[in-house]
Amino acid sequence: WEKLTNLHSTKDELGEMQLSYNKMIDRIYENIEKQERFVSDASHELKTPLSVITSYTELLQRRGKDRPELWEEATNAILSEAERMKQLTEQMLLLAKNQEQENIRFELVDISSIIRSIIRSLSVAYDREIILYTDQVNTEISADKQKIYQAIYILVDNACKYSDSDIHLQVKEGPTELTISVKDFGEGLSKEDQQHIFDRFYRVDKARSRKSGGTGLGLAICHSIIQAHGGTITIESELNEGSTFTIHLPK
Ligand code: ADP
């Protein structure tokens, strides 16, 4: 602003300012577009369970009295679609919250102990061998404990959902970062899918993902948490061989 109001700014300086101003406007438009797409995708995702609920309720109203066997089928479907809507809205709220950096509460956390607790719950839930490899590394970093738990949980949960064999977890300490990788030997992802995997509501196999309770928001949530911590997530995957998701967190 100082430069802009300074009558002695050179032509080059003014040109530079014009460029950064244009970039800023582009980013604002990009964000508005993203928000609009999110609202339209979210409404679309909520419409499906809503229309199942409406159809079954109408069916019960018309035929429920003459056909008591309909009762169980309809109420089960209504309940499970209502559950899905609840899960979707909860995850959408999470995503909105995680995008704001000020919602991150930093404290000293031990990543290995977070991972061990995730392994305890998911190995029981999926009856699966989840193996943790760590050298004697210092895995304490400054992070939001609950959110980092959530991000790693999503990756391990996905590894269990989209593969049938053991899952390997590894924590490594580098000079400037800590890496946490989650490796499965499942269906893997094509190069094309890998490019969209962190997009909100993106699912490779919608039917399978829906059956396993998937919303297509898990990886977007995970990505937003890691981004808010100043980290990144990388993926290596081969179709039918498996995938490795790696979180890189600054120390
Ligand atoms: P969902 O709730 O559907 O699991 P995610 O955002 O967590 O949503 O994942 C998006 C999609 O990425 C999933 O529907 C699935 O198709 C694919 N995916 C995620 N993790 C894996 C994995 N470990 N192996 C293969 N595909 C995966």
Side-chain angles (χ1 to χ4, degrees):
W1 181 249
E2 247 172 52
K3 274 189 186 170
L4 197 64
T5 49
N6 178 2
L7 292 174
H8 304 295
S9 290
T10 63
K11 213 173 156 195
D12 279 354
E13 277 176 329
L14 286 173
E16 221 173 84
M17 278 185 274
Q18 177 75 43
L19 264 178
S20 48
Y21 173 76
N22 286 351
K23 266 191 202 155
M24 195 172 75
I25 297 288
D26 282 351
R27 280 184 59 184
I28 292 173
Y29 273 114
E30 233 172 71
N31 277 334
I32 294 175
E33 237 171 68
K34 262 193 202 162
Q35 289 300 336
E36 283 176 352
R37 205 171 336 122
F38 179 62
V39 173
S40 108
D41 289 348
S43 337
H44 180 80
E45 291 294 324
L46 287 168
K47 253 189 201 164
T48 317
L50 252 184
S51 68
V52 177
I53 291 174
T54 316
S55 321
Y56 267 110
T57 312
E58 281 170 2
L59 188 68
L60 272 185
Q61 278 185 333
R62 273 187 285 117
R63 304 254 176 85
K65 283 199 187 105
D66 328 320
R67 293 178 56 195
E69 76 279 4
L70 262 184
W71 182 255
E72 198 179 336
E73 180 190 327
T75 50
N76 280 341
I78 290 171
L79 205 60
S80 92
E81 295 301 320
E83 275 296 329
R84 183 168 176 78
M85 287 181 74
K86 190 172 152 215
Q87 192 196 3
L88 267 165
T89 42
E90 279 170 0
Q91 292 205 328
M92 283 193 271
L93 275 176
L94 260 180
L95 200 55
K97 270 196 211 154
N98 287 336
Q99 261 154 6
E100 287 160 26
Q101 203 113 21
E102 59 265 33
N103 285 326
I104 304 284
R105 265 185 243 120
F106 284 97
E107 57 178 318
L108 203 60
V109 294
D110 182 13
I111 297 293
S112 294
S113 87
I114 291 184
I115 292 181
R116 286 201 185 89
S117 124
I118 293 173
I119 292 179
R120 270 195 299 278
S121 44
L122 287 179
S123 55
V124 172
Y126 286 95
D127 189 17
R128 195 77 67 79
E129 192 83 41
I130 306 175
I131 306 157
L132 172 63
Y133 298 94
T134 62
D135 306 329
Q136 286 295 320
V137 292
N138 172 17
T139 60
E140 273 191 343
I141 56 163
S142 173
D144 186 313
K145 190 173 180 181
Q146 209 198 337
K147 290 197 180 349
I148 286 293
Y149 180 98
Q150 199 173 28
I152 304 173
Y153 187 99
I154 288 169
L155 294 186
V156 185
D157 188 46
N158 276 350
C160 293
K161 275 195 299 194
Y162 302 109
S163 77
D164 300 316
S165 57
D166 297 355
I167 314 289
H168 294 184
L169 302 193
Q170 187 163 40
V171 185
K172 274 193 193 160
E173 190 190 5
T176 55
E177 61 174 27
L178 199 72
T179 59
I180 304 138
S181 50
V182 181
K183 183 181 178 75
D184 68 63
F185 303 90
E187 57 198 59
L189 290 151
S190 69
K191 290 274 171 285
E192 166 73 17
D193 286 328
Q194 286 175 41
Q195 304 203 333
H196 302 287
I197 209 72
F198 297 105
D199 295 353
R200 298 176 285 200
F201 300 112
Y202 188 83
R203 280 163 288 171
V204 178
D205 178 349
K206 287 195 190 263
R208 174 157 185 207
S209 167
R210 197 168 197 277
K211 230 188 274 164
S212 60
T215 56
L217 287 175
L219 287 178
I221 292 174
C222 181
H223 186 251
S224 68
I225 293 175
I226 301 305
Q227 216 174 23
H229 279 79
T232 51
I233 312 184
T234 51
I235 167 168
E236 282 169 64
S237 186
E238 282 294 331
L239 266 183
N240 304 319
E241 285 186 18
S243 314
T244 306
F245 286 82
T246 306
I247 294 177
H248 305 256
L249 283 174
K251 284 210 293 193

